[in-house]
């Protein structure tokens, strides 16, 4: 190969993007070509100075907040509409943000069960990310139950169901509908089941169940607590746990 | 009733999509901003263009099924920036970087002395490059992209990435020292 070709190949070599054969070929060329060797050294120096100069500029935090806000509120609203001009976007942004806030506040006030289902499923999905599942890891109900003391303004019922095939794995705090709730984690074979518990007095209800995006859920009220169980286990398994939980204190 | 079930299912899907977007795309906001800042040569323009690109990414997110969310996002950012350049500064893209007739380049000893820090010197040189050369340097050296990623981001055949980088680095050398090394060497 000519030195001219090698001048280009040099960059692939510098970047570690050549296959072994071409790299060897280039190295062979280098031995007999002081010009290419000098060029390689000069490119290495240039690269080092670029990398050491701290030229990478991070996004300002104001931009991060604007982006998060706009993908949350504005983009969704705009999704069905054709391209707006950039200026119109800028002008509408504040209006939409304000409107979005109003709407969000409004809908928060009369949150539907559908939204609650979404939240509970989201909490479940989030809990499956590494390190998020349990704050107290124990299969012993007498360890898990006291852990909640002082962290919540209520004492959630905690029972281990290892014998019935639902070993208690631990617990953590989570947030549903703006309030801190107890989340109990049960295992079912290799799957996890989150049971969210918070006080809600009133008539005990037989409950509802459903499925969304591959996750099954059960909700019920035992007269003192509102409970939601969410998992990717089968609806039958989930119902079994629900029955166990409902009987636990009776 | 049926409608409300449908709408709550739609809401749940939307929420899940939102969570996926925040998990896969938002972490690359810094990379997006950095690329825009260098293509557009200014932080204010870069903020606007980045936000526009993020909104676009959000809207097209349903169509993303790949594994490299960063390359996917940077491609959108890059296209947004070039459209932006076309619209706002038509002149800039037309002007080729020509070594002899570039008064701004830090080529004279005086301006070299003024550009005290290495950072300043490199920034000046990079900003003197044509946007298409500049983006090659930024993608490779600042963002650490592989040739494959660069090809995806710039819609360039992968076989052309090496020679494009080689030209970009040559231009950068010229911008830094005023002219190609060989010529300078020949004069000595």
């Amino acid at each position: 190969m000519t030195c001219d070709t090698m001048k280009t190949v040099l960059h692939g070599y510098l970047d570690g993007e050549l296959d072994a054969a071409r790299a060897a070929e280039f190295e062979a060329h280098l031995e007999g070509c002081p010009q290419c060797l000098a060029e390689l050294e000069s490119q290495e120096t240039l690269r080092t100075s670029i990398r050491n100069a701290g030229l990478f500029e991070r996004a300002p935090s104001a931009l991060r907040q604007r982006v998060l806000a706009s993908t949350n509120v504005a983009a969704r609203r705009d999704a069905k509409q054709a391209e707006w001009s950039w200026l119109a976007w800028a002008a509408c942004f504040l209006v939409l943000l304000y409107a979005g806030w109003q709407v969000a506040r409004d809908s928060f006030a009369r949150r539907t069960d559908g939204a609650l289902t979404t939240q509970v499923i989201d909490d479940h999905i989030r809990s499956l990310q590494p390190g998020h599942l349990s704050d107290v890891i124990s299969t012993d109900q007498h360890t898990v139950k006291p852990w909640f003391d002082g962290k919540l303004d209520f004492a959630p019922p905690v029972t281990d169901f290892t014998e019935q095939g639902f070993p208690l794995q631990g617990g953590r705090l989570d947030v549903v509908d703006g309030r801190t709730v107890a989340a109990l984690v049960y295992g079912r074979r290799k799957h996890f089941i989150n049971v969210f518990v918070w006080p809600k007095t009133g008539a005990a209800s037989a409950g509802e169940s459903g499925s969304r995006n591959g996750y099954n859920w059960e909700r019920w009220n035992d007269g003192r607590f509102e409970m939601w169980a969410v998992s990717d286990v089968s609806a039958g398994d989930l119902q079994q746990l629900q029955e166990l939980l409902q009987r636990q204190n009776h | 009733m049926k409608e409300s079930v449908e709408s709550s299912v739609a809401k749940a899907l939307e929420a899940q999509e939102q969570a996926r977007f925040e998990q896969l795309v938002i972490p690359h906001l810094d990379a997006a901003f950095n690329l825009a800042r260098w293509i557009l040569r200014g932080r204010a323009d870069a903020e606007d263009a980045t936000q526009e690109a993020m909104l676009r990414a959000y809207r097209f997110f349903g169509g993303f099924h790949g594994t490299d969310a960063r390359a996917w996002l940077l491609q959108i950012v890059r296209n947004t920036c070039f459209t932006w350049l076309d619209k706002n500064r038509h002149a800039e893209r037309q002007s080729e970087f020509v070594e002899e007739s570039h008064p701004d380049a830090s080529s004279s000893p005086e301006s070299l002395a003024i550009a005290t820090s290495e950072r300043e010197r490199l920034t000046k040189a990079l900003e003197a490059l044509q946007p298409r050369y500049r983006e090659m340097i930024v993608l490779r050296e600042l963002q650490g992209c592989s040739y494959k990623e660069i090809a995806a981001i710039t819609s360039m055949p992968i076989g052309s990435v090496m020679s494009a980088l080689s030209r970009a680095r040559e231009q950068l050398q010229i911008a830094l020292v005023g002219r190609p090394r060989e010529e300078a060497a020949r004069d000595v």
Side-chain angles (χ1 to χ4, degrees), chain B residues 98-139:
Chain B
V98 185
E99 58 214 76
E100 292 84 4
S101 65
H102 208 281
D104 274 358
S106 42
S107 51
S108 68
E110 291 83 3
S111 62
L112 271 177
I114 294 163
T116 43
S117 78
E118 184 72 354
R119 182 173 199 278
E120 224 174 302
R121 196 172 77 96
L122 283 164
T123 302
K124 259 184 131 180
L126 261 176
E127 291 190 338
L129 296 189
Q130 256 189 69
R132 289 191 192 278
Y133 289 142
R134 192 159 58 237
E135 72 170 340
M136 295 304 291
I137 305 280
V138 170
L139 288 173

Side-chain angles (χ1 to χ4, degrees), chain A residues 208-220:
Chain A
E208 300 170 61
S209 61
S211 158
R212 185 172 290 183
N213 307 329
Y215 294 97
N216 291 311
W217 55 269
E218 289 267 356
R219 67 167 288 199
W220 68 100

Side-chain angles (χ1 to χ4, degrees), chain A residues 26-37:
Chain A
F26 179 74
E27 278 168 0
H29 172 83
L30 262 193
E31 279 179 20
C33 181
Q35 234 187 339
C36 279
L37 187 62

